[in-house]
Amino acid sequence: LKRHRVITTYFLKPEQYPNEDVMIDELFQKFTNTHIDTLQFEIDRVFGNLSQLETDLSKAFKHLRYYYPEAEVPKIKTVATGFAHDMYISDSLIVIGLDYYLGEEAKYRPLGMFNYMLERYAPEYIVPSIMLLYGISPEYNKTDLSDNTMLADMVAYGKSFVFAKHMMPCTPDSIMIWYTGEEITGVNANEDLIWAHFVDEELLFENNHMIKKKYIDPRPKTYEVGEKAPGRIGTWLGWQIVRKYMEEKDAGLVEVMNQRDPQVLFNQSKYRPSKN
């Protein structure tokens, strides 16, 4: 704990314990539990020597340095947490709780999560999740904090998807947004109907937090749009708006990430999907 003070402070969250002695006792009990060996065997089975994860991270950060030469590549640590924490990200450090990302074939899975949330806890989601968090951070994603509309949230998330896609251009859209193959096919085929719902319900300039959550936050389905509409449909739609803006303006990544005004971005995108 003393040797890895940053991990101790930010990842193991000592403030959750009354004092350091209690923290040490509880961690010692956890990591001397016989089941922790099984968990480590599972990590070794899934991740091996971590070469694939290292390769994927290296490629993503090379792309980051291409678009942002001044960006610093953080130190990256992997941990078997006993399902304490999944991931911690700062400017200088990334800590990945590998036991969270063992996939659906794992002997043990994190407790207290719905199936639609567990689906994204698999090896292929680790690096996209990191890049999405980078893409939504204010360091790269310039936004107007005074704008509380649904459109502002949609565009901000849309920019984060565009950012992550540039860092990992070969990653399927379905992995980026945590959709199944069937779901990504469905939203692409029904883009005009999804857009029509947002227009008919006058959602773009909605600022009611509870209404926005239905379209932005993780859910198994966006039932307001349809029984087969996947969750977070507003973020997917924002992605399409930002893509259209880049196409119309012939804008590069840095330019679109620096566009603070979601209304300007939307207007200049000329986004009006029609039935194919």
Side-chain angles (χ1 to χ4, degrees):
L1 296 178
K2 292 180 179 178
R3 188 180 306 121
H4 303 281
R5 181 56 66 181
V6 174
I7 294 177
T8 301
T9 301
Y10 295 103
F11 193 67
L12 297 179
K13 300 182 179 179
E15 69 276 5
Q16 296 178 349
Y17 304 90
N19 55 61
E20 192 173 63
D21 288 339
V22 173
M23 177 182 180
I24 290 171
D25 287 343
E26 291 195 15
L27 290 176
F28 184 79
Q29 290 178 28
K30 175 185 291 186
F31 290 106
T32 54
N33 186 305
T34 55
H35 294 292
I36 213 73
D37 286 342
T38 304
L39 199 57
Q40 185 61 54
F41 288 142
E42 285 280 278
I43 291 174
D44 294 341
R45 176 184 64 82
V46 173
F47 290 97
N49 62 1
L50 299 178
S51 60
Q52 186 60 55
L53 179 59
E54 290 177 2
T55 297
D56 293 343
L57 285 165
S58 177
K59 288 180 179 179
F61 279 105
K62 281 182 179 178
H63 282 100
L64 178 64
R65 291 294 299 273
Y66 173 80
Y67 292 103
Y68 296 91
E70 72 284 0
E72 294 186 11
V73 177
K75 292 182 179 179
I76 299 172
K77 305 288 186 180
T78 59
V79 183
T81 72
F83 297 122
H85 307 288
D86 56 354
M87 189 179 292
Y88 168 80
I89 294 182
S90 73
D91 294 340
S92 59
L93 176 69
I94 294 174
V95 185
I96 304 166
L98 292 180
D99 42 343
Y100 264 83
Y101 295 92
L102 294 174
E104 61 181 10
E105 300 300 324
K107 187 170 182 177
Y108 301 123
R109 302 300 309 274
L111 297 176
M113 288 188 181
F114 296 110
N115 286 335
Y116 76 91
M117 298 174 68
L118 280 175
E119 289 173 357
R120 66 185 176 95
Y121 282 106
E124 62 269 25
Y125 290 95
I126 293 177
V127 185
S129 295
I130 292 171
M131 291 299 112
L132 284 167
L133 288 170
Y134 266 71
I136 202 66
S137 72
E139 181 178 357
Y140 299 104
N141 197 333
K142 309 305 180 184
T143 58
D144 179 2
L145 297 179
S146 67
D147 192 333
N148 296 315
T149 62
M150 178 92 77
L151 178 63
D153 289 352
M154 292 165 59
V155 167
Y157 280 106
K159 288 162 66 178
S160 73
F161 288 124
V162 165
F163 178 95
K165 190 72 174 180
H166 276 71
M167 302 307 123
M168 304 183 70
C170 296
T171 300
D173 288 359
S174 57
I175 296 293
M176 286 292 179
I177 199 166
W178 315 331
Y179 285 179
T180 65
E182 181 180 358
E183 286 174 335
I184 204 73
T185 299
V187 292
N188 286 330
N190 295 284
E191 185 175 357
D192 60 320
L193 299 178
I194 297 168
W195 172 246
H197 173 85
F198 275 71
V199 173
D200 293 343
E201 299 297 323
E202 300 180 345
L203 292 173
L204 294 184
F205 301 104
E206 179 63 63
N207 55 26
N208 183 295
H209 178 65
M210 297 307 296
I211 294 176
K212 291 195 297 180
K213 281 170 63 71
K214 295 178 180 179
Y215 296 91
I216 300 296
D217 286 7
R219 297 172 69 194
K221 300 291 180 183
T222 308
Y223 297 104
E224 292 75 13
V225 176
E227 291 188 0
K228 292 187 177 181
R232 304 170 73 243
I233 200 74
T235 66
W236 177 83
L237 197 59
W239 192 1
Q240 312 319 304
I241 292 171
V242 175
R243 279 175 159 170
K244 190 66 166 56
Y245 171 84
M246 297 184 76
E247 178 185 317
E248 285 291 323
K249 298 286 291 182
D250 192 25
L253 176 65
V254 176
E255 179 182 344
V256 72
M257 296 302 291
N258 286 338
Q259 175 54 265
R260 293 178 180 272
D261 193 325
Q263 183 67 59
V264 169
L265 189 150
F266 170 67
N267 290 338
Q268 294 185 357
S269 74
K270 301 178 183 178
Y271 180 78
R272 300 293 186 278
S274 58
K275 189 67 177 177
N276 291 330

